[in-house]
């Protein structure tokens, strides 16, 4: 800062960090390295009373620079990480783990595995107990790499199987990887957390060896145990498992219901709606309508022809049966103010017609029912469709014209 | 074991390190690293070397004078450890005020006699220093006449005022560099008013004149000067800020508190050196160049530059007028920095400078000399107040602080 002609150690290092931060944010790796060179001497005065001390700063900043700098090589990176491991016993396992991540990003799976094994065998008095969580993570990642090896062996085995060769050695190796992976993966998913990749791999292993009950238990825990953070993926995994197991529609629906509650815009909502539409229960069919309307509230779904066709099918069916128009009315109530501009503008009509005829067909049907045959969208699309002499558009026009009074009941 | 023997074996490398630190709580004159600079400057003053205190401190910070890691130069057998570190480990830049005050305490303590006279031909005389600073500030040489006039009028060029009399409590201690800078500031106020309005007006007239009439040399334009100097100042300030961030405090020879942590300290030093090498290579072409030689001038301007960025030869005709055969300023007004001076002995300052209370031009000018002398603007502001009160003491109608004769 200008007009300050005093300087002490602490202030100059603070200023140095500030320059490093600016350089990092602007991806100026050379400049960051230049200032880091001046910063490192604060290691000699590392009292670590600060929340983040110099050694942690140097570890994190140095990692960033070495990872991105064009002249930096993996060899230097590894050498640096080894130095950082010696800098602070409390941070040892964390540094090991992050080093492993970088090795994996660089495709060095074997080195990563070696590092994980080494870290796992680390002992340092009471620190070992204190850093228990990090050890579990390290074991979990080693389990993950074991799973990858298992996967590779499985692939080889299946290929040999096709050729008619039975390879005992490969099979035994595969089983050994399974045991190693299972032990570690099982442990980590006991602890509340977000463990998508571990859960998926563990379930994959269990299914292969026929342990379906345990797999179901694991997935249920992961999805329904309130100690675990809310995670839409947990429900997706459970649903996919139940589907593979050929479970009843009832359990599939119950799994997806929660997903709809948490993430109404999830891509599985199409499957969900399809299932619900076919249900014999009235309440389920109504839920289906609710689900598909909710999904189409999101901008990401605007051009999804499949979603529109689901909605169109259900709306058409309701109109023809002349029953449950109140369902549509209820859904349309909160949407009639903004859906017309959001989905059914003249501009969108033109664009949809140009880019995707099927999409415009489905949307036109819905627009025609909800807004009447005089609405901009329907008018434009049906006119274009009839002009192009496409049969289904002529049918559409007839259908909507016939049921025109419906929109009055709906919007009334 | 006697107390001394105890202390040597455990707490410090020196014989009496811990005792020294313990006993001197009450006595103000304890030998410290900054005090070595006070000693140094006393000596320089005694032989009247052409160097100011601000220059000395700047050379220290730039590494031309052993100070920061001075123990590197100690003989092998002098082993520092323990509490010695508190004395010899320097972790902050020396402060002007601190060195200056200790200097005077030291001179009194040593019972030194009156120092050799500071006369008009001395480097430290305001007439000489003003010339140097005018050059460095890229101001017209003609301003020197005015600084000399002010110096003469308020008597700060007198031998008795300038020469150091150790132990004399009645005379004000003179900061030669700050005083000279303050004189220039006052002269600029006299000629240009510096009220954020008048100086720009004068500048416009000068600009007009310079456009239409190129013979006889250019008139000094405040606006042009401001732009040129501000640009250079900003560049230098930015460099200084980066240097502060890159400042290295340690050296190859590490210090350790005790024999016990010697190996740990050496390991750390080795790691630091390794990391410096590793990241130094990644710094690109920016290698640490050899230290440039110490330079007395931080800003330099050459009249050979054809872009007109040097104002030394410019004329003040645009801001002066002739009245009754005397050359006087066109500016008829003057504003005082403060109407009442504070009691320096009580609160340490003659006035309290706050940027928002003063015109921007004034702040800029203070900032310029603040940069050159590497001290807070408020120190220069204090001296400006002192000078103004001497200059306008008649108009102030208050009891004189200094025993000076009334002037016309």
């Amino acid at each position: 800062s200008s007009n300050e002609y005093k300087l002490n150690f602490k202030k100059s290092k603070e200023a140095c960090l500030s320059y490093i931060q600016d350089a990092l944010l602007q991806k100026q790796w050379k400049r960051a390295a230049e200032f880091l060179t001046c910063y490192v001497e604060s290691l000699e005065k590392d009292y670590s009373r600060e929340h983040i001390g110099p050694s942690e700063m140097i570890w994190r900043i140095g990692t960033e620079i070495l990872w991105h700098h064009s002249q930096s090589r993996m060899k230097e990176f590894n050498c640096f990480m080894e130095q950082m491991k010696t800098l602070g016993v409390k941070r040892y396992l964390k540094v090991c783990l992050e080093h492993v991540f970088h090795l994996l990003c660089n495709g060095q799976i074997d080195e990563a595995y070696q590092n994980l094994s080494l870290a796992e065998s680390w002992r340092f008095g009471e620190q070992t107990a204190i850093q228990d969580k990090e050890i579990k993570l390290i074991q979990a990642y080693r389990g993950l790499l074991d799973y990858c090896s298992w996967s590779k062996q499985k692939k080889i085995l299946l290929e040999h199987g096709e050729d008619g060769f039975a390879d005992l050695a490969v099979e035994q190796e595969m089983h050994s990887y399974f045991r190693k992976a299972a032990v570690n993966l099982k442990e980590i998913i006991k602890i509340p957390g977000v463990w998508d990749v571990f859960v998926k791999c563990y379930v994959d292993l269990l299914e292969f060896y026929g342990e379906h009950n345990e797999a179901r238990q694991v997935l249920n825990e992961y999805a329904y145990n309130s100690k675990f953070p809310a995670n839409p993926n947990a429900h997706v995994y459970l649903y996919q498992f139940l589907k593979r197991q050929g479970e009843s529609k009832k359990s599939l629906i119950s799994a997806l219901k929660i997903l709809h509650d948490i993430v109404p815009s999830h891509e599985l909502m199409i499957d969900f709606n399809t299932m619900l539409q076919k249900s014999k229960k009235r309440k389920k069919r109504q839920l289906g309508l609710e689900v598909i309307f909710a999904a189409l509230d999101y901008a990401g779904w605007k051009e999804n022809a499949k979603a529109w066709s689901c909605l169109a099918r259900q709306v058409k069916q309701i109109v023809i049966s002349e029953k449950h128009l109140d369902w549509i009315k209820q859904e349309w109530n909160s949407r009639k103010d903004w859906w017309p501009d959001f989905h059914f503008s003249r501009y969108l009509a033109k664009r949809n017609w140009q880019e995707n005829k099927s999409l415009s067909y489905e949307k036109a049907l819905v627009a025609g029912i909800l807004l009447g045959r005089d609405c901009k969208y329907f008018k434009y699309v049906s006119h274009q469709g009839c002009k192009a002499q496409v049969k289904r558009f002529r049918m559409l026009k007839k259908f909507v014209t016939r049921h025109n009074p419906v929109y009055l009941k709906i919007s009334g | 074991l006697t107390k001394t023997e105890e202390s040597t074996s455990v707490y410090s490398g020196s014989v009496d390190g811990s005792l020294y630190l313990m006993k001197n709580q009450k006595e103000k004159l304890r030998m410290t690293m900054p005090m070595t600079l006070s000693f140094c400057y006393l000596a320089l003053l005694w032989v009247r070397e052409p160097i100011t205190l601000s220059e000395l401190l700047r050379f220290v910070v730039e590494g031309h004078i052993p100070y920061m890691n001075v123990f590197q130069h100690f003989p092998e057998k002098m082993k520092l450890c323990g509490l010695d570190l508190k004395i010899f480990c320097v972790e902050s830049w020396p402060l002007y005020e601190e060195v200056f005050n200790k200097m005077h305490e030291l001179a009194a303590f040593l019972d030194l006699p009156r120092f050799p006279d500071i006369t008009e031909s001395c480097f430290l005389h305001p007439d000489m220093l003003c010339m140097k600073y005018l050059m460095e500030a890229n101001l017209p040489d003609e301003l020197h006449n005015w600084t000399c006039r002010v110096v003469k009028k308020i008597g700060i060029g007198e031998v008795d005022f300038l020469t150091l009399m150790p132990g004399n409590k009645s005379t004000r201690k003179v900061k030669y560099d700050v005083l000279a800078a303050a004189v220039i500031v006052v002269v600029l106020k006299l000629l240009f008013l510096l009220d954020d309005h008048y100086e720009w007006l004068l500048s416009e007239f000068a600009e007009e004149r310079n456009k239409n009439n190129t013979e006889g040399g250019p008139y000094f334009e405040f606006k042009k000067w401001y732009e040129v100097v501000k640009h250079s100042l900003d560049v230098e300030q930015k460099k200084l800020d980066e240097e502060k961030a890159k400042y290295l405090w340690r050296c190859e020879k590490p210090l350790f508190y005790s024999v016990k942590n010697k190996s740990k300290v050496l390991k750390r030093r080795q790691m630091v050196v390794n990391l410096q090498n590793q990241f130094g290579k990644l710094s690109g072409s920016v290698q640490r160049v050899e230290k440039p030689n110490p330079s007395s001038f931080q800003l330099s301007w050459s009249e050979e530059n054809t872009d007109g960025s040097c104002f030394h030869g410019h004329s003040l005709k645009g801001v002066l007028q002739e009245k009754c055969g005397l050359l006087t300023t066109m500016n008829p007004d003057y504003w005082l920095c403060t109407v009442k001076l504070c009691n320096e002995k009580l609160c340490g300052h003659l006035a309290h400078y706050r940027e928002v209370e003063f015109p921007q031009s004034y702040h800029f000018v203070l900032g310029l000399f603040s940069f050159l002398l590497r001290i807070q603007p408020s120190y220069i502001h204090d001296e400006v107040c002192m000078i103004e009160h001497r200059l306008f003491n008649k108009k102030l109608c208050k009891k004189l602080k200094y025993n000076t004769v009334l002037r016309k």
Side-chain angles (χ1 to χ4, degrees), chain A residues 193-194 222-223 225-235 262:
Chain A
V194 178
Y222 195 53
N225 187 339
S226 54
K227 290 208 192 94
F228 281 71
N231 183 357
N233 290 336
H235 301 276
I262 318 176

Side-chain angles (χ1 to χ4, degrees), chain A residues 107-352:
Chain A
Q108 294 175 279
I109 316 279
D110 291 331
E111 281 87 349
Y113 196 87
Q114 274 165 29
N115 273 292
L116 284 170
S117 303
L118 210 68
E120 210 183 324
S121 60
W122 182 74
R123 298 281 177 273
F124 202 96
E126 62 174 20
Q127 280 301 317
T128 322
I130 293 172
Q131 296 185 47
D132 174 61
K133 287 210 176 85
E134 282 87 342
I135 298 252
K136 286 242 155 58
L137 265 178
I138 286 170
Q139 288 168 331
Y141 277 100
R142 194 164 70 78
L144 191 64
L145 292 182
D146 284 326
Y147 168 84
C148 292
S149 303
W150 172 86
S151 222
K152 253 199 290 189
Q153 298 302 95
K154 180 179 92 166
K155 195 166 168 218
I156 295 174
L157 199 69
L158 290 174
E159 281 169 8
H160 285 189
E162 280 169 19
D163 295 342
F165 294 111
D167 199 330
L168 210 63
V170 171
E171 202 178 323
Q172 276 182 342
E173 243 194 288
M174 190 181 96
H175 292 324
S176 138
Y177 281 127
F178 159 67
R179 279 191 292 274
K180 284 199 276 192
V183 145
N184 285 325
L185 291 174
K186 184 171 179 175
E187 278 307 302
I188 193 80
I189 60 182
K190 280 192 198 152
I191 306 172
V194 178
W195 307 123
D196 288 357
V197 68
F198 299 136
V199 166
K200 272 179 93 169
C201 297
Y202 188 47
V203 165
D204 189 25
L205 287 171
L206 290 171
E207 279 193 87
F208 183 83
Y209 287 95
E211 306 276 356
H212 302 293
N213 279 330
E214 176 147 4
R216 185 199 310 268
Q217 230 178 329
V218 164
L219 288 169
N220 272 316
E221 264 292 291
Y222 195 53
Y224 297 123
N225 187 339
S226 54
K227 290 208 192 94
F228 281 71
N231 183 357
N233 290 336
H235 301 276
V236 173
Y237 298 154
L238 179 60
Y239 166 76
Q240 288 168 337
F241 172 78
L242 295 172
K243 201 166 164 196
R244 287 195 294 272
Q245 296 294 305
E247 296 273 329
S248 67
K249 284 278 188 295
K250 189 167 171 209
S251 38
L252 290 177
I253 285 172
S254 117
L256 283 180
K257 173 82 172 57
I258 303 185
L259 188 60
H260 161 71
D261 289 335
I262 318 176
V263 189
S265 58
H266 199 278
E267 59 184 0
L268 281 175
M269 292 302 108
I270 292 185
D271 288 23
F272 195 30
N273 167 269
T274 309
M275 265 194 281
L276 290 168
Q277 270 195 51
K278 294 195 196 138
S279 170
K280 294 203 178 85
K281 302 236 168 83
R282 219 184 317 138
K283 272 219 164 102
K284 294 275 190 299
R285 294 201 302 274
Q286 185 179 16
L287 177 63
L289 191 66
E290 213 182 290
V291 163
I292 195 70
F293 260 106
L296 286 166
D297 280 340
Y298 291 86
W301 286 75
K302 275 169 104 167
E303 319 222 314
N304 190 322
K306 190 87 180 37
W308 282 105
S309 85
C310 286
L311 179 59
R313 188 183 337 132
Q314 200 165 10
V315 161
K316 187 171 177 184
Q317 196 266 326
I318 289 173
V319 164
I320 291 174
S321 74
E322 288 175 14
K323 278 200 276 194
H324 308 302
L325 280 173
D326 54 307
W327 291 355
I328 301 183
K329 184 167 176 185
Q330 194 176 340
E331 292 307 318
W332 187 235
N333 224 357
S334 58
R335 292 177 169 93
K336 63 184 179 213
D337 291 326
W338 61 282
W339 264 45
D341 286 329
F342 192 58
H343 286 304
F344 304 126
S345 67
R346 195 177 146 76
Y347 166 75
L348 278 172
K350 274 183 159 174
R351 214 177 84 182
N352 294 155

Side-chain angles (χ1 to χ4, degrees), chain A residues 3-5 7-9 12-13 16 19 31 34-35 37 40-41 43-45 66 69 76 86, chain B residues 91-93 242 244-247 249-250 268-269 271 276 278 282-283 370-371 374-376:
Chain A
N3 287 337
E4 271 285 321
Y5 300 100
L7 192 68
N8 60 25
F9 186 91
S12 77
K13 293 312 169 201
C16 196
Y19 278 92
R31 190 167 155 87
E34 188 188 331
F35 281 90
T37 311
V40 294
E41 63 170 13
L43 272 181
E44 290 175 283
K45 207 178 159 73
L66 287 171
H69 196 291
E76 279 165 33
T86 67
Chain B
E91 295 209 326
S92 57
W93 284 1
E242 277 199 18
K244 280 157 84 176
K246 288 161 105 173
Y247 204 77
W249 300 85
R250 307 238 175 275
R268 277 283 157 109
R269 177 97 280 254
M271 181 174 303
Q276 281 174 337
Q278 184 170 28
L282 295 176
S283 300
S370 181
F371 172 81
R374 305 286 178 93
I375 55 172
Q376 299 296 96

Side-chain angles (χ1 to χ4, degrees), chain A residues 84-100:
Chain A
M84 292 299 105
K85 286 175 192 171
T86 67
L87 264 189
V89 109
K90 289 192 192 142
R91 212 179 300 123
Y92 177 78
L93 289 176
K94 237 196 270 186
V95 178
C96 284
L97 199 53
E98 294 224 12
H99 187 199
V100 162

Side-chain angles (χ1 to χ4, degrees), chain B residues 165-368:
Chain B
M165 281 281 291
N168 185 339
K169 296 225 169 90
S170 59
T171 55
R172 189 160 188 275
K173 303 188 189 93
V174 180
K175 296 181 175 125
Y176 305 103
D177 34 22
V178 185
L179 184 64
V183 168
I184 298 177
V185 173
V186 168
V187 164
L188 288 174
K189 279 176 78 179
L190 281 168
L191 265 56
F192 297 96
L193 189 56
L194 297 187
D195 66 341
D196 282 346
H197 178 70
Y198 192 70
E199 65 272 22
W200 306 111
L201 206 64
L202 287 176
S203 189
E204 270 173 39
F205 294 150
E207 195 184 348
E208 272 306 304
R209 182 269 170 193
N210 283 338
K211 254 196 275 189
N212 302 329
N213 188 345
T214 45
E215 60 176 62
Y219 281 12
F220 177 74
E221 288 173 53
F222 188 87
K223 179 168 177 242
K224 254 188 114 187
W225 171 83
Y226 172 83
E227 284 166 359
V228 168
V229 171
K230 181 172 201 317
H231 173 78
S232 293
L233 193 59
D234 286 346
V235 166
E236 294 302 313
Q237 185 67 63
K238 194 167 168 210
K239 265 197 239 168
L240 180 62
D241 288 340
E242 277 199 18
E243 272 163 37
K244 280 157 84 176
K246 288 161 105 173
Y247 204 77
L248 290 178
W249 300 85
R250 307 238 175 275
C251 63
E252 285 112 43
K253 183 172 168 178
L255 290 176
F256 14 90
Y257 217 75
S258 68
V259 176
K260 265 195 285 186
N261 75 356
K262 179 174 177 177
S263 63
K264 185 174 177 196
V265 168
L266 287 175
K267 254 199 237 167
R268 277 283 157 109
R269 177 97 280 254
Q270 189 56 52
M271 181 174 303
V272 167
V273 169
N274 289 343
L275 291 172
Q276 281 174 337
N277 286 335
Q278 184 170 28
F279 289 101
K281 284 200 206 109
L282 295 176
S283 300
S285 53
V286 183
Q287 292 300 332
R288 290 193 86 86
V289 292
E290 283 302 310
K291 249 191 323 226
N293 285 331
S295 156
S296 191
F297 284 83
Q298 294 174 80
L299 298 173
S300 62
W301 318 91
S302 173
E303 292 201 350
E304 280 153 21
N305 284 352
T306 48
D307 57 359
S309 62
C310 177
F311 296 84
H312 296 153
H314 287 213
S315 167
L316 291 176
K317 283 209 192 95
V319 302
L320 298 172
Q321 58 185 345
E322 218 175 285
K323 256 188 185 170
C324 317
L326 280 175
L327 208 55
T328 182
T329 68
M330 276 179 59
N331 169 36
D333 296 324
Y334 193 92
W335 55 270
L336 289 174
C337 286
T338 178
V339 173
K340 187 160 190 271
L341 293 176
C342 270
N343 186 336
E344 202 168 21
K345 288 197 171 66
L346 286 178
C347 72
H349 288 279
L350 283 177
H352 298 273
Y353 179 66
R354 277 181 39 214
E355 183 188 337
V356 292
E357 292 169 4
F358 292 90
Q360 302 263 53
S361 298
Y362 179 72
H363 178 70
F364 173 74
V365 164
L366 276 192
L368 171 59

